Every structure is written in structure tokens, then in C-alpha cells.
Amino acid sequence: MLRPLWKTSLALAGALAATACSGSDAATSKFLTWHNTQVNAVSRMAVAGGVVATTSMKPDGSLETVAVSLNDGKRLWAYPATIAGRLPGMGVSAPAVVETGKDQGVIVALDPGKKARWNATLIARDAHSGVQKWTRPVHSTFGPQRCGPYICLSEHTALAKARMVVLDPATGRQLWKLPGISEVEWSDQGRVLLLRLAANPMIESYELKTGKLQWQQPIEQALGPGIDMSGGWAFGASGDDMVGYVAPYTNPQTKKVSTFGLFSVKIADGTINWMRPSVVRVYPSGSPGFAPVVRPVDRQGSYGGFARLDSATGRVLGQVTAADVPGSGWWLAFPDRMDKLGFLKHNAKGTAFDIVSGRPVPVEEERGWSFCVTDPKPLPLRGQAPGFYSTAALCEYDLGTGKRASPGMAPPPWFTGSQEGWRLWRDEKGAVHAVNDHTATAPGMYG
């Protein structure tokens, strides 16, 4: 996901990364499917212990944490939610869900309630019943995250004493902590990879049980000096590796553009596998660790063509040259298998290319998935700073006519990702949809 940082909270490419548009209303009938139209999901969805949790916006602009059953989509419970210290460019945070046993779990989210210097309360609830298990007062935070079998929370983020704490999901007991602000980018039962947001941003690996540092890798080592995370970032796992993307940021004072690009590190020891400096990630597209599609940018700021990279090696699998890119007024559209690149023109004939050979293909029979609202409106959140957007929804288009195709299909796996065979997505109105088509577990566009 593209996440501009707090320094300026610019919704950089927010129109692309945080757009909402009509999605599918049904999925392939031969698989188990469900739809829940009683929610208005505005965050990503978290899945564990047989439960899906999301942050939903009510008609009055207030937020709530909603839990639904993964098997049938039925609403289990809902409680008020809030944002306390998260910056608009980062989007609305999702609850954290941790599995604590077979079909058992804990959902941790931020509840409203200002008391003295505390602006909210972190509350853990039983995933299925909603029964409260423990609480922790919060001044400011970017939101809780699952880190393996635990909960990771960057807290006091608006203060000089910012830190990240690791909590036991059953009791809320603090296991260990780190100074500064960190974000979980990958974890399993024994290890967590953190992005340390500091003057010299690093990827660091910690043993989850003890907090022992295993390795660290400065991002400048991969991409070069001049990193500024204010433009946003995204990470995704690819087998035994993790692929990271740092977006460009233009300093408003100096007008200089920060260092940007893609790189890959070994999860085991932090060794850099490959690097692709000076490329930007395009939207919509798959996770950097699953199906990275990029555009090179030269020192004068001119964009090149489009390239699909191999997430394992960083090599170019195929490309569409700059000479073939149409002038303007287009939006990217990819089919289910991401083997073609389409340039969608709304209500007009577009163009399409085979992304491996780079050759044009007849557009008349081509379909592609793209954003359909090109000027998204920020969420009318009550009592929050303006500039928060919903996570995106995709629509399928007929590239030959530029018109929306009949709804009925699930968005492609490169967008939705998959967990435990389930693929979940939201439509334009925030309704949640799911299909269990046994797709292998993989990250989606938002991780």
C-alpha cells in the first residue's frame, strides 16, 4: 500500500492508491461465496481464527470495529472505533487479529474515549464473542498490528518518546519494546521484520519471543543515499525474501526528489538480493513481493515505459516501451493473470499490449481491472482531520469500449490476495465480499 508519512501527510498519489470504485456483487458460483452489505468497510481487512475484522464507517461519519464470520460473512459484533495520531495519507487503520487457538482469536482495536492525557483506549476482545479481555490507554498511535503470535503497537507517535511495544494478545502484558516508530512488514511465529522509521530508515529482524535483534539493513544500502519515507512505502513477501518499495518525495523547500525504487532482502539474514533504483510502482498492481509492475524515471523526471519484474530476481520479465504509451487520459488496467497491460480510456476505445513480448494485442476482446473513480472524495469522518480515503475497489472494463463490464466476477488474486483459500474485497459502497476458491496464500495490492 502507498502510505505517505506523517512529516507532511501529503496524500501522494492518493487519487490512485486510495480510490474507491464499484466492485463485484457476486463471485463465481461454483465456489463458496458470501456478501455482507451491512458494513461500510473503509480499512483493509484482517483475517485470523475464522474471523474477518475491519474498520467500518457509519452514516454519521463515526467509525466502528466490525467482526464477521469468515465462513459465512455473518456479523458477529461491532464496537465504536477511532483514530488517534494516525496521519491521513496512511489511510484508516484496520484492527489487528491474532489466532490464539483452533478457530479462536483476539481482535485488538482502538476505541474512543479521552481521559486526561490519553486520547483513546486499545481494547482486545474475543474474536467470536466480542467479550473484552484487556485494555491499554493510548496517547497517539498508527494502530495495532499482528506480529506473529503477538500484537505490535507503535505508541506515543506524536511525542518525542515514541516507541513500539510487543504485547501478549491474551493478557496485554508487555513483552518487550523498542524506541522510536516501527511498522511490521512481515512476521511468522518466531520472527518479525520491522521498518524502523528514523533519520536513517532500516529494515530490522527481531526474535519475537525475546526481542533480540537478529539483523539490520539500512535502506540506503539498497537504494542509495537521500531516502525520505514521506512519499510512502510498501513491502511484500516473496518466498524466502521480502521486496520493498520506497516512493519518491519532493521536498517542498528544496524541490529535490528523494531516492526511490525497489529492492529485495533475504528474510533469514537481511542480505540484499537485488535492487532497482529510480523506478516507481504503478497502480493498480500486485504486491511488490508478488507481481511488481514499475516505470523507470530518469534524472529529469521523465517517465519511461512499463516493466513487469520477477520478484525473485528483479529481472525484467517483459515491458511496454515508452514509445507505445498513449498520450494522456488513460488509466492502467490489468487482466486476471496480469499477462497484458491495458490503457483504459473511459467510454472510448483503449489499447492493450502483451506485457511479456511488448507487442500490441487486439483490444476488442480484452477485459481489464482498473479504478473507476478517478477523483475520489475523502471520507467524511467525524472529528478527524480531512484527507482519509477508503481502500480501493476495482471494476472490470471492456477495453474495446471503455465501458464497465457486467459485474459478477471477483477481482483478480493479484489485487485481493488470498488467506486460507479465501479472497476478500470491498465494493464501491464498502460492502464486503468473499470467495473461497482455494487460491494459494499470497499478498494482495495492500499487503
Side-chain angles (χ1 to χ4, degrees):
M1 185 174 71
L2 196 67
R3 284 173 283 203
L5 201 51
W6 63 92
K7 289 187 198 170
T8 48
S9 70
L10 290 175
L12 154 126
L16 296 182
T19 345
C21 88
S22 289
S24 305
D25 287 315
T28 313
S29 57
K30 62 182 177 180
F31 297 117
L32 182 61
T33 66
W34 55 258
H35 316 283
N36 188 317
T37 57
Q38 271 66 60
V39 294
N40 177 17
V42 293
S43 77
R44 290 179 295 160
M45 285 168 265
V47 179
V51 171
V52 180
T54 188
T55 305
S56 175
M57 188 182 74
K58 297 166 76 173
D60 65 359
S62 62
L63 296 172
E64 61 180 1
T65 301
V66 178
V68 302
S69 169
L70 179 61
N71 286 328
D72 57 19
K74 288 182 180 174
R75 179 166 159 146
L76 299 171
W77 52 264
Y79 283 96
T82 193
I83 297 168
R86 192 172 172 91
L87 296 165
M90 303 177 79
V92 177
S93 60
V97 190
V98 176
E99 188 170 9
T100 55
K102 182 170 172 54
D103 294 325
Q104 293 180 318
V106 170
I107 294 176
V108 183
L110 213 58
D111 282 39
K114 186 168 176 61
K115 292 180 183 176
R117 67 193 181 102
W118 307 110
N119 297 313
T121 305
L122 190 74
I123 299 186
R125 296 182 171 94
D126 180 86
H128 289 271
S129 69
V131 171
Q132 182 175 306
K133 300 181 81 69
W134 53 265
T135 67
R136 183 183 181 93
V138 170
H139 173 274
S140 47
T141 181
F142 291 166
Q145 294 181 281
R146 175 173 64 183
C147 47
Y150 304 124
I151 294 291
C152 284
L153 179 78
S154 278
E155 58 182 10
H156 308 316
T157 51
L159 305 175
K161 60 178 181 179
R163 64 184 187 178
M164 190 203 78
V165 294
V166 179
L167 308 173
D168 183 324
T171 64
R173 181 173 64 89
Q174 182 176 308
L175 303 174
W176 51 276
K177 63 183 179 179
L178 287 175
I181 298 173
S182 302
E183 183 177 84
V184 176
E185 303 303 348
W186 178 91
S187 67
D188 62 11
Q189 291 301 102
R191 178 198 299 263
V192 61
L193 267 54
L194 299 175
L195 168 62
R196 301 293 305 280
L197 294 163
N200 182 17
M202 300 218 183
I203 301 298
E204 296 182 345
S205 174
Y206 288 86
E207 185 178 30
L208 266 170
K209 200 170 183 180
T210 64
K212 179 185 175 184
L213 176 66
Q214 297 172 317
W215 56 260
Q216 59 184 186
Q217 184 62 266
I219 293 179
E220 286 191 347
Q221 196 72 32
L223 296 177
I227 296 290
D228 188 326
M229 305 301 288
S230 303
W233 63 89
F235 289 85
S238 174
D240 296 328
D241 306 321
M242 187 175 72
V243 181
Y245 169 64
V246 177
Y249 173 71
T250 303
N251 185 298
Q253 275 78 45
T254 65
K255 307 301 180 190
K256 285 187 177 179
V257 179
S258 64
T259 299
F260 59 97
L262 247 70
F263 64 99
S264 167
V265 297
K266 287 191 187 308
I267 290 172
D269 60 14
T271 304
I272 296 171
N273 298 307
W274 56 263
M275 57 196 80
R276 280 274 174 185
S278 302
V279 297
V280 295
R281 182 188 180 200
V282 303
Y283 298 89
S285 64
S287 159
F290 182 66
V293 179
V294 299
R295 292 190 83 176
V297 185
D298 65 21
R299 294 191 176 184
Q300 286 69 47
S302 298
Y303 285 89
F306 292 83
R308 168 80 186 268
L309 304 182
D310 181 344
S311 58
T313 64
R315 294 195 184 104
V316 173
L317 295 177
Q319 57 187 323
V320 175
T321 66
D324 288 322
V325 177
S328 62
W330 49 263
W331 291 82
L332 289 183
F334 291 98
D336 283 9
R337 291 199 303 133
M338 229 176 189
D339 54 346
K340 297 183 181 68
L341 172 66
F343 295 98
L344 166 69
K345 295 208 170 187
H346 290 294
N347 299 309
K349 185 177 180 178
T351 51
F353 295 84
D354 182 298
I355 205 166
V356 176
S357 69
R359 297 191 185 112
V361 296
V363 78
E364 286 74 18
E365 300 297 321
E366 289 297 326
R367 297 276 186 99
W369 291 88
S370 184
F371 301 125
C372 43
V373 173
T374 54
D375 56 344
K377 303 294 185 287
L379 296 168
L381 297 180
R382 196 172 72 190
Q384 296 291 342
F388 284 94
Y389 290 83
S390 299
T391 54
L394 288 195
C395 316
E396 191 177 26
Y397 280 90
D398 181 330
L399 294 178
T401 63
K403 296 185 183 300
R404 200 180 297 187
S406 301
M409 299 296 289
W414 56 258
F415 174 73
T416 64
S418 181
Q419 299 178 72
E420 300 171 31
W422 285 95
R423 300 199 295 115
L424 296 115
W425 68 97
R426 68 181 290 278
D427 66 20
E428 182 180 14
K429 296 177 180 176
V432 176
H433 305 262
V435 57
N436 188 342
D437 57 7
H438 313 296
T439 303
T441 295
M445 189 175 101
Y446 285 114

